[in-house]
Amino acid sequence: MQDEELPQQLQIELPDDLAGGNYADFASIWHTPNVFVLDFIAVKQPPVPDTGEHGEAVLTVPGRVVSRIRIPPEQVFEVAKALATQLESWEQETGRREPAQPLFGFGGSGRNMASTEGDQDVADD
């Protein structure tokens, strides 16, 4: 046999404790030069009226990160393609389309919710 590349076959195990998954209402996505970080967030309670850092009225959405996924930049392209493919299939199956206004006003335009904790614990690789 020559030095030709053999096709790869992934053998992936899903541990029982992860099989149920975690529910998330939205995600915050950010990056460093060497890693993309996806923080999946579950809302803890309904939005509450609050005051922003400049004294303006805001609605605060209390949430909790339920999962943090770190992936190399090279893998982001594959994830984006897979999400687009799955979204297209979902739209065809359900007849549903992108909502006019995203949940809590975050997302849709590429805008992400700012992380308020944990950013310092992700070091560049």
Side-chain angles (χ1 to χ4, degrees), residues 6 17 21 28 30 34 37 48-49 62 92 95 97 110 121:
L6 293 174
D17 61 326
S28 174
W30 51 282
N34 302 310
V37 179
V48 293
Q92 290 173 357
R97 297 289 181 254
D121 67 353

Side-chain angles (χ1 to χ4, degrees), residues 22-106:
N22 289 316
Y23 180 81
D25 294 293
F26 59 96
S28 174
I29 302 170
W30 51 282
H31 67 277
T32 69
N34 302 310
V35 68
F36 276 73
V37 179
L38 293 80
D39 284 335
F40 292 92
I41 298 143
V43 172
K44 292 170 51 174
Q45 65 188 49
V48 293
D50 202 354
T51 304
E53 70 181 70
H54 302 292
E56 73 280 12
V58 297
L59 281 178
T60 296
V61 181
R64 178 178 177 270
V65 173
V66 295
S67 185
R68 172 172 280 180
I69 307 298
R70 300 175 64 210
I71 59 175
E74 299 80 8
Q75 190 64 26
V76 172
F77 298 97
E78 296 303 317
V79 170
K81 287 180 205 173
L83 279 170
T85 298
Q86 288 299 314
L87 181 58
E88 186 177 311
S89 293
W90 177 80
E91 287 176 332
Q92 290 173 357
E93 291 167 12
T94 66
R96 293 170 63 183
R97 297 289 181 254
E98 181 178 352
Q101 182 173 354
L103 185 64
F104 305 116
F106 299 113

